[in-house]
Amino acid sequence: MSREQSNKVRRRAPIELDGQEFREVGYALVDEIADFLDSIRERAVTTGATPEAIREVLGDKRLPESGMDAKQIALDAARLLIDHSLYNGNPRFMGYITSSAAPIGALGDMLAAAVNPNVGGWVLSPMATEIERQTIRWIAELIGYPSSCSGLLVSGGNMANFVGFLAGRSAKSPRSLREKGLREQPQMTVYVSRETHTWIQKAADLFGLGTSAIRWIPVDQRRRMDMQALAQQVIDDRRAGFQPIMVVGAAGTVAVGAVDPLSQIAEFCRNEKMWFHVDGAYGAPAAALPEAEADLQSLRLADSLALDPHKWLYSPLEAGCVLVQDGQRLVDAFSFTPEYYHFHEGFSEQPVNFFEWGMQNSRGFRALKVWMALRQVGRSGYVQMIREDIELSRQLYHMVAATPELEAVTNNLSITTFRFVPTDLRNAGEVNIEYLNELNRGILNEVEAGGEVFVSNAVVNDQFLLRACIVNFRTTAVDLEKVVEVVVRVGRALDAKLRPEKLQQTRKV
Ligand SMILES: *Cc1c(COP(=O)(O)O)cnc(C)c1O
């Protein structure tokens, strides 16, 4: 066959890898990843390197004009990432709400990328669409949400909350809203506790209500929404001509893991004909525990619910999930059917086209990694891991409380907050709040850069606190001891350095 003829039947594009080449590159990469997983407990949590140093390692290279060997690229990329990352899979990582990733999820993402179904339309992704639907049902079953619900996977908690927010907004406004926008609407208002995650500001802004539509309801001692204040605010707003449309309850606030009085909010919304959305981005999976508090289990009453498989279901980033009791609400909020889609009409049932249920059009197969992990450990595996995370968090609270220089402040779900207080400042009262805040801010900076352990922070009653959130199936009691040891060591040293400087400054003034 001439070259010209063989090009007709087999085009050799520069980006192609045939099966044998893929096998070789892939095995080499899998070996690197397997070694990484075996070493993740021993590595420093982070290198603490500066942005300049990281760019130096990467090299300020120009766009390559021509290509290079695929195996070399894969191994280069592995070295760059494996040697210069923060490892949230390390057992001593307890920052923010970022979990260790289930290794099976990495394989799920690889398989999803290889087959590459477009889960926007059923005909483009027959098995993937059905697996995503099953994943949605399984997540609902796991946390006790009605399994007749609808839902879909999105990129994370923000997007999941946005979808719930939009479903609620369209449910509580006339159908003409989609055409006429907000112009001819009374001004809509939404009700959230002061502890609500910043997604609500993005939603109010992006979807045209404006952030002044947010009513920030005060919280009680336990950082839960104050129901009386909520009721009063709704009355006041109705009198003033606003249209209250939605209450957002938290199933685990981002700062301290507080759970709002969800059953009371549900009843309130029923009576007031308002939409009840629950932000369970962090805490919803804990509703799977039989011993979960009644308020957490009341998330089943929400009209819509956001949760984050990439948090407490240990999925690799990204995977968020929104569940809606009445699937028609998603169609009402999102469906347009353009003429350039002609999907197969011959089925006896109308198949699900996810592009009609949410914001995305083309959609990747995020569900696969979640589905594979659900199958790997089952309900009992998740219950065990989440329960252990919660127990460890309580243990940390007690260890901190038993340490003279540390003050334990809150413990909810798997979040414990605390701070370093030099023993001689223990009873010195209000005078020291500024100094203690500065000291603990400094401690956090040093601890985070040091790489021994990783915690983040919360601010409660104007106090700057250290915060450990355990959504990490690798963490053990030994890692908690390390947190206490490191914070005390760094705290002592920083206090010895900062306090004389402070005293000098006050003398000068
Ligand atoms: C993390 C979190 C979010 C945002 O989720 P992302 O996945 O980061 O987009 C929203 N609400 C709560 C309570 C969260 O914990």
Side-chain angles (χ1 to χ4, degrees):
M1 205 160 34
S2 74
R3 176 136 181 219
E4 206 167 285
Q5 278 171 324
S6 84
N7 276 353
K8 256 189 201 161
V9 288
R10 201 180 167 88
R11 175 173 163 199
R12 175 67 210 199
I15 209 159
E16 181 67 285
L17 293 178
D18 66 25
Q20 189 46 41
E21 290 163 326
F22 187 88
R23 204 169 273 123
E24 207 180 301
V25 182
Y27 286 173
L29 187 59
V30 164
D31 282 340
E32 291 290 325
I33 295 170
D35 289 346
F36 166 65
L37 290 174
D38 277 344
S39 73
I40 202 164
R41 287 179 174 80
E42 280 73 47
R43 288 169 177 272
V45 182
T46 178
T47 62
T50 63
E52 294 81 8
I54 295 292
R55 276 198 301 274
E56 177 85 31
V57 173
L58 177 59
D60 185 17
K61 303 186 184 91
R62 305 288 303 267
L63 169 70
E65 186 52 40
S66 49
M68 64 181 279
D69 177 59
K71 186 169 165 189
Q72 193 56 50
I73 299 164
L75 295 178
D76 276 358
R79 280 278 63 76
L80 287 172
L81 280 163
I82 291 175
D83 293 344
H84 305 277
S85 285
L86 173 144
Y87 313 112
N88 45 42
N90 180 296
R92 291 175 301 285
F93 179 87
M94 302 167 207
Y96 305 100
I97 310 177
T98 300
S99 63
S100 270
I104 200 167
L107 298 172
D109 264 353
M110 182 163 85
L111 177 57
V115 178
N116 199 31
N118 185 338
V119 199
W122 194 94
V123 290
L124 303 175
S125 58
M127 183 51 79
T129 292
E130 295 303 332
I131 287 177
E132 180 157 347
R133 295 186 65 197
Q134 189 168 72
T135 306
I136 292 295
R137 284 198 303 276
W138 284 358
I139 290 174
E141 277 181 50
L142 177 68
I143 63 170
Y145 199 71
S147 54
S148 57
C149 68
S150 279
L152 72 166
L153 292 186
V154 291
S155 57
N158 263 33
M159 293 301 279
N161 281 306
F162 290 172
V163 172
F165 182 93
L166 290 170
R169 187 186 73 170
S170 89
K172 294 300 167 188
S173 37
R175 295 217 44 126
S176 64
L177 179 86
R178 296 188 86 190
E179 189 191 336
K180 295 186 174 148
L182 298 172
R183 261 170 296 151
E184 291 167 27
Q185 269 295 115
Q187 200 187 333
M188 295 189 261
T189 46
V190 297
Y191 299 77
V192 309
S193 97
R194 292 220 170 113
E195 299 283 297
T196 303
H197 186 278
T198 181
W199 71 266
I200 188 67
Q201 283 133 305
K202 287 195 181 177
D205 171 20
L206 292 171
F207 307 130
L209 273 63
T211 53
S212 66
I214 305 170
R215 300 293 189 254
W216 298 97
I217 307 301
V219 291
D220 64 16
Q221 278 296 314
R222 292 163 62 203
R223 327 296 298 170
R224 296 150 42 97
M225 186 183 283
D226 176 338
M227 289 305 295
Q228 275 191 328
L230 169 67
Q232 191 57 51
Q233 183 70 50
V234 169
I235 290 172
D236 292 348
D237 284 337
R238 287 222 159 95
R239 279 205 191 113
F242 293 103
Q243 190 200 349
I245 56 166
M246 165 181 337
V247 183
V248 176
T253 56
V254 61
V256 301
V259 177
D260 279 329
L262 298 184
S263 58
Q264 288 179 60
I265 298 178
E267 195 190 339
F268 180 82
C269 286
R270 240 187 340 265
N271 293 337
E272 297 292 329
K273 305 215 166 5
M274 292 168 74
W275 185 266
F276 176 30
H277 174 74
V278 166
D279 178 3
Y282 159 49
L289 272 51
E291 68 269 27
E293 59 172 311
D295 263 321
L296 187 55
Q297 293 183 355
S298 295
L299 56 71
R300 70 178 183 278
L301 303 170
D303 294 306
S304 57
L305 169 83
L307 82 151
D308 246 350
H310 70 208
K311 287 178 173 168
W312 224 348
L313 296 182
Y314 316 103
S315 274
L317 295 159
E318 303 163 340
C321 172
V322 57
L323 304 177
V324 179
Q325 297 245 3
D326 177 359
Q328 187 58 36
R329 298 305 188 186
L330 291 178
V331 177
D332 290 347
F334 294 106
S335 174
F336 290 101
T337 41
E339 57 197 15
Y340 46 82
Y341 287 155
H342 175 80
F343 288 138
H344 188 66
E345 286 160 352
F347 299 121
S348 57
E349 69 171 296
Q350 187 63 32
V352 168
N353 296 312
F354 276 115
F355 84 92
E356 290 189 80
W357 289 15
M359 287 192 261
Q360 277 182 273
N361 191 62
S362 293
R363 299 175 71 249
F365 190 15
R366 289 197 177 90
L368 183 59
K369 58 191 168 192
V370 181
W371 183 83
M372 285 171 69
L374 284 165
R375 290 191 70 187
Q376 186 195 0
V377 303
R379 178 195 295 276
S380 64
Y382 273 111
V383 165
Q384 179 196 326
M385 293 185 289
I386 292 168
R387 185 180 282 150
E388 285 174 1
D389 284 347
I390 291 174
E391 279 168 7
L392 283 166
S393 166
R394 273 193 205 132
Q395 221 172 313
L396 177 62
Y397 184 86
H398 292 303
M399 285 164 64
V400 164
T403 306
E405 287 152 292
L406 298 182
E407 180 180 81
V409 183
T410 67
N411 173 240
N412 294 301
L413 295 176
S414 68
I415 297 177
T416 291
T417 63
F418 59 101
R419 62 178 179 165
F420 182 84
V421 182
T423 39
D424 59 319
L425 296 184
R426 262 259 141 122
N427 299 311
E430 288 294 304
V431 202
N432 290 300
I433 188 159
E434 283 302 319
Y435 176 65
L436 290 180
N437 283 353
E438 184 183 341
L439 180 60
N440 280 279
R441 223 177 271 127
I443 292 171
L444 183 64
N445 272 340
E446 286 200 22
V447 168
E448 283 191 351
E452 290 179 279
V453 299
F454 197 104
V455 295
S456 54
N457 80 288
V459 176
V460 174
N461 298 330
D462 297 324
Q463 296 178 345
F464 187 95
L465 306 176
L466 305 175
R467 170 184 170 285
C469 174
I470 303 173
V471 283
N472 191 333
F473 56 84
R474 294 196 181 96
T475 302
T476 65
V478 176
D479 304 306
L480 307 181
E481 285 166 11
K482 192 80 187 166
V483 170
V484 171
E485 179 212 310
V486 171
V487 170
V488 169
R489 187 180 71 228
V490 171
R492 279 183 194 159
L494 201 61
D495 181 44
K497 184 167 147 258
L498 278 184
R499 228 184 315 169
E501 288 174 15
K502 278 277 124 178
L503 283 177
Q504 254 178 12
Q505 277 171 15
T506 30
R507 278 203 202 100
K508 271 186 213 146
V509 176

